[in-house]
């Protein structure tokens, strides 16, 4: 059991801006919350490869193919940084993966939407990765050392993702009327799901207050969302794209953009597993894991035999 | 697929250190899973150096790392605190010393 004295000392360290490292004492609840949040983040990076991988063979040029390949490889890398950071909390990688594939571990609901056209790939880069950067920049200041460092590394790479998406969308929005229509259609479909990526309103978010108290998060869902909207409105304007929200208006008093109601019913139904792609995504991930089992086993066996041969030879 | 057979095939954990530039000290990057050292190096390169972050890698089986305990941090490093004479700031020298041109 954590004693009050331990909890108070821990809170003092957090309030003083100290980073918590894997071997430091921490409240059990802090550890559990981190495992939940960090592994969820890792799962999201991994599942995020699916909607984009879908377009690698159909990217419009060799350059765009190379860019998309590099981006998908980055997502795998981000997943690995985060799994590796989560393991420092004393939980095994295999357990994390199995909780996700066969248990109840979650991933970001944004990846449960389909990528219907190539413009969706542009919009994912601009909006989805743009939102992810806002979130991860905040998490790079997280109180848990390994999580903070993993996010720092991710942020450095993520800006490439956002920029390539924004560049492509700008080109498309500047193209033929048909291309422009395609770009606008993709933005219309991804705008609201992107805003949902920041999570429920602060008043409806069960974990937020605790995570902020412990410095795991340093800003609330609504603060991050507002920051994202402020930034994105200008970027949309610059390339002649409109955002599908009639209530979007600049508020002179606050200096921020006010926006309309987010369709939360849709959010909760996707979170609960009824999004357009939930089942397919999970099926694809399970298949990849199970079909890859022989590779993992063979590699272990190969390593064992090689070691035996070396021992014999010496 | 029982817990036991799966665990047998879980790849061991390696800690990864990289040297950012010639002459710089090695830094901890994170960890990777791999069946042997050779593949640990390859996985380390793919995971932690996609943008030439390093020119050299060390991989070490994670269970071979021996670390000091955080709760001992005070007493463990204490002997350094009462040796201020190890720092140049400890000494005062005449202010007038100037280089001759």
């Amino acid at each position: 059991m954590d004693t009050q004295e331990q909890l108070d000392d821990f809170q003092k360290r957090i309030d003083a801006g100290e980073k918590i490292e894997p071997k430091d004492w921490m409240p059990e609840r802090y550890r559990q919350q981190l495992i939940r949040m960090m592994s969820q983040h890792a799962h999201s990076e991994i599942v995020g490869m699916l909607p984009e991988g879908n377009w690698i063979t159909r990217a419009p040029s060799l350059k765009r193919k190379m860019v998309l390949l590099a981006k998908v490889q980055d997502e795998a890398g981000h997943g690995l940084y985060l799994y590796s950071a989560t393991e420092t909390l004393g939980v095994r990688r295999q357990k994390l993966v199995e909780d996700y594939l066969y248990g109840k571990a979650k991933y970001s609901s944004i990846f449960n939407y389909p990528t219907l056209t190539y413009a969706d790939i542009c919009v994912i880069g601009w909006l989805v990765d743009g939102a992810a950067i806002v979130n991860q920049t905040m998490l790079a200041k997280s109180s848990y050392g390994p999580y903070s460092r993993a996010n720092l590394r991710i942020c450095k790479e993520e800006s490439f993702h956002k920029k390539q998406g924004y560049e492509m969308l700008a080109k498309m929005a500047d193209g033929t009327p048909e291309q422009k229509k395609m770009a606008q259609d993709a933005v219309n479909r991804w705008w609201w799901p992107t805003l949902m990526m920041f999570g429920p309103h602060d008043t409806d978010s069960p974990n937020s207050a605790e995570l902020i108290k412990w410095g795991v998060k340093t800003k609330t869902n609504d603060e991050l969302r507002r920051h994202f909207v402020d930034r994105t409105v200008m970027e949309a304007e610059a390339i002649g794209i409109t955002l599908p929200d009639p209530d979007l208006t600049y508020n002179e008093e606050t200096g921020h953009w006010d926006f309309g109601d987010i369709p939360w019913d849709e959010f909760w139904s996707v979170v609960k597993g009824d999004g357009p792609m939930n089942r397919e995504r999970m099926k694809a991930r399970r298949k990849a894991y199970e079909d890859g089992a022989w590779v993992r086993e063979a590699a272990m066996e190969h390593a064992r035999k090689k070691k035996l041969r070396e021992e014999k030879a010496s | 697929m029982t817990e036991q057979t799966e665990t047998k095939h879980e790849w061991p954990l390696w800690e990864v250190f990289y040297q950012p530039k010639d002459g710089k000290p090695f830094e901890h990057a994170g960890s990777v899973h791999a069946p042997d050292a050779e593949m640990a190096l390859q996985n380390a390169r793919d995971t932690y150096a996609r943008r030439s972050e390093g020119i050299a890698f060390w991989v070490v089986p994670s269970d071979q790392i021996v670390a000091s305990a955080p709760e001992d941090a005070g007493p463990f490093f204490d002997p350094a605190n009462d040796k201020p004479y190890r720092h140049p700031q400890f000494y005062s020298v005449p202010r007038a010393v100037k280089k001759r041109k």
Side-chain angles (χ1 to χ4, degrees):
Chain A
M1 245 329 248
D2 309 338
T3 68
Q4 192 56 44
E5 203 191 337
Q6 282 175 313
L7 290 169
D8 291 345
D9 283 350
F10 183 79
Q11 192 63 48
K12 247 182 241 159
R13 292 192 62 193
I14 298 282
D15 295 343
E18 285 180 36
K19 291 273 190 246
I20 308 302
E21 293 298 334
K23 291 180 84 187
D24 287 341
W25 183 88
M26 61 184 84
E28 186 51 25
R29 173 100 182 139
Y30 177 82
R31 201 176 78 89
Q32 292 303 337
Q33 283 282 38
L34 279 174
I35 292 175
R36 181 189 61 81
M37 191 173 157
M38 290 166 67
S39 63
Q40 192 170 312
H41 193 169
H43 304 328
S44 303
E45 298 281 357
I46 299 294
V47 88
M49 291 192 279
L50 294 171
E52 295 182 300
N54 185 31
W55 283 90
I56 290 174
T57 56
R58 289 177 288 168
S61 67
L62 184 58
K63 176 183 152 188
R64 294 302 177 190
K65 264 193 229 302
M66 292 195 306
V67 168
L68 194 53
L69 267 171
K71 182 172 188 282
V72 171
Q73 195 193 14
D74 274 355
E75 312 289 10
H78 296 174
L80 295 177
Y81 304 159
L82 290 161
Y83 279 131
S84 137
T86 315
E87 282 175 289
T88 64
L89 291 159
V91 54
R92 285 181 26 242
R93 171 90 55 107
Q94 193 158 341
K95 178 174 187 314
L96 297 174
V97 172
E98 283 173 6
D99 278 355
Y100 153 52
L101 295 178
Y102 306 104
K104 52 183 169 35
K106 293 216 165 14
Y107 57 88
S108 175
S109 55
I110 193 78
F111 301 113
N112 291 313
Y113 290 88
T115 42
L116 302 180
T117 71
Y118 190 70
D120 290 41
I121 298 302
C122 315
V123 173
I124 287 182
W126 175 44
L127 292 182
V128 175
D129 291 314
I133 293 173
V134 169
N135 207 18
Q136 286 157 346
T137 310
M138 175 274 290
L139 291 169
K141 299 193 185 97
S142 177
S143 62
Y144 187 55
Y147 194 34
S148 153
R149 292 190 284 273
N151 277 298
L152 208 61
R153 196 175 260 282
I154 290 172
C155 286
K156 279 189 195 161
E157 302 181 351
E158 199 80 52
S159 43
F160 139 62
H161 298 181
K162 188 203 154 177
K163 226 170 152 187
Q164 59 89 34
Y166 188 49
E167 183 206 65
M168 283 195 292
L169 196 73
K171 286 223 162 112
M172 209 175 250
D174 197 31
T176 63
E178 213 179 356
Q179 286 170 327
K180 188 163 182 178
K181 201 175 151 223
M182 201 167 129
Q184 184 62 57
D185 171 64
V187 172
N188 292 350
R189 281 182 290 108
W190 287 90
W191 175 247
W192 292 108
T194 305
L195 290 194
M196 295 175 203
M197 279 175 69
F198 297 96
H201 280 312
D202 297 345
T203 43
D204 304 322
S205 177
N207 297 308
S208 268
E210 192 176 47
L211 292 172
I212 285 176
K213 183 185 85 169
W214 277 331
V216 174
K217 288 171 70 168
T218 54
K219 283 191 179 136
T220 71
N221 297 352
D222 286 331
E223 282 171 340
L224 294 166
R225 189 162 21 233
R226 193 177 64 189
H227 175 72
F228 173 77
V229 171
D230 284 347
R231 204 171 77 168
T232 309
V233 168
M234 290 184 295
E235 290 171 348
E237 236 169 43
I239 58 170
I241 284 283
T242 55
L243 298 171
D245 178 0
D247 296 327
L248 203 58
T249 40
Y250 187 71
N251 186 327
E252 293 283 352
E253 239 167 77
T254 61
H256 296 290
W257 286 83
D258 292 335
F259 47 93
D261 289 333
I262 294 168
W264 290 115
D265 290 347
E266 177 184 317
F267 172 77
W268 291 114
S269 103
V270 178
V271 168
K272 283 180 187 131
D274 288 325
M277 296 295 282
N278 289 55
R279 283 166 196 85
E280 266 172 275
R281 296 285 187 245
M282 285 310 289
K283 208 172 129 193
R285 288 300 309 133
R286 283 191 198 117
K287 184 174 180 329
Y289 183 69
E290 284 158 18
D291 289 355
W294 73 269
V295 179
R296 295 190 291 276
E297 286 165 26
M300 277 302 274
E301 191 54 22
H302 175 69
R304 192 185 68 83
K305 283 185 179 162
K306 204 170 81 178
K307 202 173 160 202
L308 270 179
R309 275 199 303 275
E310 281 163 6
E311 279 167 6
K312 249 186 209 165
S314 66
Chain B
M1 193 167 59
T2 68
E3 171 90 12
Q4 198 127 39
T5 52
E6 269 297 300
T7 308
K8 204 175 94 191
H9 298 295
E10 189 178 29
W11 291 355
L13 193 62
W14 304 73
E15 294 304 315
V16 177
F17 301 82
Y18 68 103
Q19 189 182 27
K21 274 183 191 153
D22 189 31
K24 293 278 179 199
F26 280 72
E27 273 179 49
H28 185 237
S31 57
V32 292
H33 284 268
D36 59 17
E38 191 188 339
M39 210 160 145
L41 273 177
Q42 284 171 2
N43 288 353
R45 180 207 48 206
D46 292 346
T47 311
Y48 295 107
R50 289 192 298 281
R51 290 173 178 77
S52 334
E53 285 88 341
I55 56 155
F57 269 119
W58 288 346
V59 290
V60 185
S62 298
D63 58 8
Q64 295 296 306
I65 300 266
V66 182
S68 62
E71 59 270 27
D72 296 341
F76 193 72
F77 296 102
D78 189 39
N81 289 337
D82 56 3
K83 295 183 179 67
Y85 48 85
R86 285 188 163 161
H87 300 278
Q89 297 90 323
F90 183 74
Y91 303 93
S92 49
V93 289
R95 296 183 67 185
V97 179
K98 274 185 191 159
K99 253 190 215 165
R100 204 168 287 195
K101 292 196 174 161

